[in-house]
Amino acid sequence: MTATATLSDNSNTKLGSLIHSWSIPAGRQWSCPGESSLCRSRCYAKRGFFRMPNVNASHQRNFEFSQTVEFVPWMISALRCNHVRVMRIHISGDFYSVEYVRKWIAIVTNCPHQQFFAYTRSWRVEELLPELVQLSQLKNFRLWWSIDRETGPAPVIRGVSRAYMAINDVDAENAPDDCDLVFRDQAVT
């Protein structure tokens, strides 16, 4: 299985040449447990490039591999061997279980020279929140609560920022004052 797991190379044009990523399928209840109906209907990871069969297959293999005992040691080794400096967790997908978040805690803890970041709506899942808070407190990790007009207010946690998904400019004006980022979704609905 390790030969089929995919840590992105650093050629992603949107992230830049120094940022690697790890993704799993998006838009499924099991892979995005905290999604709102707005998030589900506007999900960028179900459009364009993400619809390509090879991308879908890669994300599915990553999801399956993330459930194995080999995932943590493989990821630590891949990060070190590839001299990864910055890692975005989930361009597609989200933290889907307590065990999976704990695996990322182990990875981030064992890779103190790498920087990690993620956006998540999984804060909306009660059993995941304590683990996500623990992950967010690691010195080399930056977490953003992903919110929209349907999610309700995100918990206030030291060190966790908020990113608001606006569906248009009017919606952007309604973003909560404590948001650090406002993304405008340009999808046609």
Side-chain angles (χ1 to χ4, degrees):
M1 178 60 94
T2 57
T4 62
T6 307
L7 175 66
S8 79
D9 63 16
N10 58 351
S11 61
N12 184 306
T13 58
K14 288 187 179 182
L15 290 180
S17 63
L18 295 179
I19 301 177
H20 288 69
S21 65
W22 171 264
S23 290
I24 61 175
R28 297 177 176 109
Q29 180 110 17
W30 48 265
S31 66
C32 294
E35 71 180 358
S36 65
S37 62
L38 186 62
C39 178
R40 186 179 316 111
S41 70
R42 310 287 290 209
C43 182
Y44 67 86
K46 294 192 294 187
R47 303 186 294 230
F49 159 84
F50 294 97
R51 294 183 60 174
M52 296 172 63
N54 62 325
V55 173
N56 282 323
S58 174
H59 291 174
Q60 184 62 38
R61 285 190 306 271
N62 285 355
F63 172 74
E64 291 167 7
F65 184 59
S66 74
Q67 298 175 331
T68 70
V69 296
E70 294 96 7
F71 175 63
V72 172
W74 178 87
M75 182 61 76
I76 293 168
S77 177
L79 290 165
R80 291 176 180 164
C81 290
N82 289 294
H83 306 287
V84 173
R85 294 173 58 192
V86 181
M87 171 75 158
R88 178 175 177 182
I89 305 169
H90 305 136
I91 292 174
S92 170
D94 207 338
F95 296 102
Y96 61 83
S97 72
V98 168
E99 180 182 2
Y100 182 59
V101 178
R102 288 179 180 160
K103 288 179 178 184
W104 278 108
I105 291 170
I107 293 164
V108 173
T109 301
N110 282 285
C111 294
H113 302 293
Q114 283 82 23
Q115 297 295 313
F116 298 82
F117 71 101
Y119 298 86
T120 184
R121 279 189 169 86
S122 291
W123 61 267
R124 300 177 70 213
V125 180
E126 186 176 343
E127 63 268 14
L128 296 179
L129 183 58
E131 304 301 324
L132 290 169
V133 169
Q134 184 179 351
L135 179 61
S136 76
Q137 300 306 299
L138 298 175
K139 290 182 181 187
N140 56 333
F141 190 86
R142 177 73 185 263
L143 188 61
W144 303 81
W145 295 148
S146 184
I147 62 176
D148 59 51
R149 66 182 184 204
E150 296 178 352
T151 60
V156 176
I157 305 294
R158 179 186 55 80
V160 179
S161 300
R162 287 166 187 72
Y164 185 82
M165 181 191 75
I167 62 166
N168 55 39
D169 289 339
V170 173
D171 190 26
E173 293 297 321
N174 295 321
D177 290 338
D178 63 353
C179 282
D180 302 286
L181 291 173
V182 176
F183 293 104
R184 287 169 177 80
D185 178 47
Q186 302 299 321
V188 177
T189 57

